[in-house]
Amino acid sequence: MPSIGAALSRPLGLLAELTHRCPLGCPYCSNPLALEGRAEELDAATWARVFNEAAALGVLQVHLSGGEPAARRDLADITAAARQAGLYSNLITSAVGLTAKTFAALVDAGLDHVQISIQDSEPKSADHIAGYGGGFARKQALAAEVVRHGLPLTVNAVIHRANIDRVSALVELALSLGASRVEIAHVQYYGWALKNRATLMPTRAQVDRAVAAVDALRARHHGRIVIDAVVPDYYAKYPKPCVGGWGRRSLNVTPSGRVLPCHAAESIPGLEFWSVRDHALEEIWTSSPAFQAFRGEDWMAEPCASCPRRTEDFGGCRCQAFALTGDARATDPVCHLSPRHSLVEALAEEREDADYIYRR
């Protein structure tokens, strides 16, 4: 097995998808189209081994995610395993399925941080977007428990046409809940979100107003809350450096144990994903065919191959490139230098007022 040398960095973060089960039906769900069932999920003992191997590999933090991780009855045991491995643990949750009692058990197990997804600042709209009545109230209740226990709280607000004009209200909501950070996270259009793209897509005017609002909010609330936000892909000049570059800074373990370079990597056909059931995590990081596929620059075509930004954005998102062009090696069409950029411009103009196709 090859050792990790200077040419291959160590991962810093691990996204642990504990389950694909989720009570919500979000129209932009980022889980794969083919969900893994409960019978396929890794048990707590295997997760504990994965966490120990991750720590030895250099990982510093683990994000306990899903689906909804609270669907796991052994979530406290898994959280304790992360603490025992020396990893900083962040629970990514919809808040549905967590009570004051079950959350207290997670705190006792050593949980470090909580991220709650909130669909809108208005309760009725938030529940409508999530496809789950009463969800907004549960999010408020869990946020209060997080603050009461003294854990840091992040609010994740997924932004699209229905709520983008309430960015200021969402930041104010995060402040009122006691959050120290809020993520203004625009919808990523692959997977399930593609089914709702024309319904979710904001207008250029909305995006411009939101960007200006974020700038003003950062100035107004400097020192009170951190506001993370980027321009949504379809309106950006350059692509984002997806997950810090393919196989460079993070890895993702699915509920059944397959290890991915990024959350949506399974949307690219032909990649071979190794499992923690069959391989050690370090071997997967260094030698898995999926991780090798888009590491470095050898795979790049023009204009990426000679672009001075290739070490900054790494050609953009491979999953998005495949979703829009059918070629995972193509320049992300979000980039204005891409020969397919006109496709993104056209799609950004496609909008319809239609009912959401919920994830069920």
Side-chain angles (χ1 to χ4, degrees), residues 184-186 188 207 211 214 218 227-233 236 240:
I184 305 300
H186 291 270
Q188 303 293 300
V207 170
V211 170
V214 167
R218 282 173 169 160
I227 303 174
D228 289 331
V230 295
V231 175
D233 283 351
K240 62 182 182 297

Side-chain angles (χ1 to χ4, degrees), residues 12-359:
L12 301 178
L14 169 69
L15 179 65
E17 292 184 341
L18 305 182
T19 181
H20 279 159
R21 289 173 282 154
C22 184
L24 305 189
C26 300
Y28 45 74
C29 177
S30 61
N31 285 136
L33 294 179
L35 299 178
E36 297 176 353
R38 181 174 183 173
E40 301 175 78
E41 294 171 4
L42 300 177
D43 59 21
T46 304
W47 278 115
R49 172 176 63 80
V50 170
F51 293 160
N52 283 317
E53 291 180 0
L57 188 56
V59 169
L60 300 177
Q61 57 184 340
V62 58
H63 304 282
L64 305 175
S65 182
E68 173 47 60
R72 296 277 307 230
R73 295 182 179 180
D74 55 359
L75 181 56
D77 294 334
I78 293 172
T79 303
R83 169 54 65 93
Q84 290 163 8
L87 299 176
Y88 184 92
S89 59
N90 172 38
L91 178 68
I92 301 175
T93 178
S94 69
V96 177
L98 280 172
T99 65
K101 181 179 179 180
T102 55
F103 181 71
L106 299 182
V107 176
D108 291 342
L111 184 66
D112 294 300
H113 182 278
V114 177
Q115 176 181 306
I116 300 177
S117 63
I118 293 183
Q119 283 69 31
D120 205 342
S121 58
E122 298 179 355
K124 184 177 180 180
S125 175
D127 290 350
H128 172 68
I129 293 168
Y132 188 93
F136 185 85
R138 296 192 181 204
K139 296 170 189 293
Q140 289 180 305
L142 180 61
E145 288 300 306
V146 174
V147 173
R148 186 172 73 83
H149 282 280
L151 268 64
L153 170 66
T154 292
V155 165
N156 174 265
V158 180
I159 303 300
H160 46 87
R161 180 151 50 104
N163 63 11
I164 191 170
D165 291 324
R166 289 187 287 278
V167 165
S168 295
L170 281 161
V171 172
E172 296 299 334
L173 173 63
L175 281 164
S176 72
L177 294 175
S180 58
R181 180 181 296 270
V182 59
E183 298 176 350
I184 305 300
H186 291 270
V187 169
Q188 303 293 300
Y189 294 103
Y190 38 69
W192 196 267
L194 287 175
K195 297 176 181 291
N196 293 283
R197 180 169 55 196
T199 307
L200 296 167
M201 184 67 67
T203 66
R204 166 65 73 176
Q206 284 182 307
V207 170
D208 290 344
R209 288 196 299 269
V211 170
V214 167
D215 288 342
L217 289 162
R218 282 173 169 160
R220 184 187 314 159
H221 298 301
H222 180 70
R224 296 182 63 200
I225 191 169
V226 175
I227 303 174
D228 289 331
V230 295
V231 175
D233 283 351
Y234 282 43
Y235 291 101
K237 183 177 181 181
Y238 295 107
K240 62 182 182 297
C242 192
V243 294
W246 186 278
R248 288 174 53 87
R249 286 288 179 261
S250 64
L251 35 72
N252 177 80
V253 181
T254 74
S256 69
R258 287 197 293 273
V259 186
L260 318 178
C262 79
H263 185 70
E266 288 173 301
S267 66
I268 302 176
L271 294 181
E272 179 185 345
F273 301 103
W274 288 1
S275 171
V276 296
R277 298 181 190 270
D278 307 313
H279 300 270
L281 202 61
E282 181 171 352
E283 182 184 12
I284 295 172
W285 178 253
T286 58
S287 305
S288 163
F291 278 80
Q292 299 282 18
F294 302 110
R295 265 191 181 134
E297 301 175 10
D298 290 345
W299 60 270
M300 291 183 179
E302 294 295 348
C304 293
S306 60
C307 179
R309 291 180 56 89
R310 67 186 182 278
T311 57
E312 298 177 40
D313 57 36
F314 313 105
C317 177
R318 297 300 87 221
C319 302
Q320 186 158 256
F322 176 78
L324 295 177
T325 73
D327 181 4
R329 288 174 169 76
T331 299
D332 187 339
V334 163
C335 182
H336 75 291
L337 299 175
S338 166
R340 304 295 298 277
H341 182 63
S342 60
L343 176 62
V344 171
E345 293 178 314
L347 289 171
E349 294 301 318
E350 291 184 7
R351 274 175 288 279
E352 65 179 2
D353 295 321
D355 293 336
Y356 294 134
I357 302 173
Y358 289 109
R359 185 70 187 264

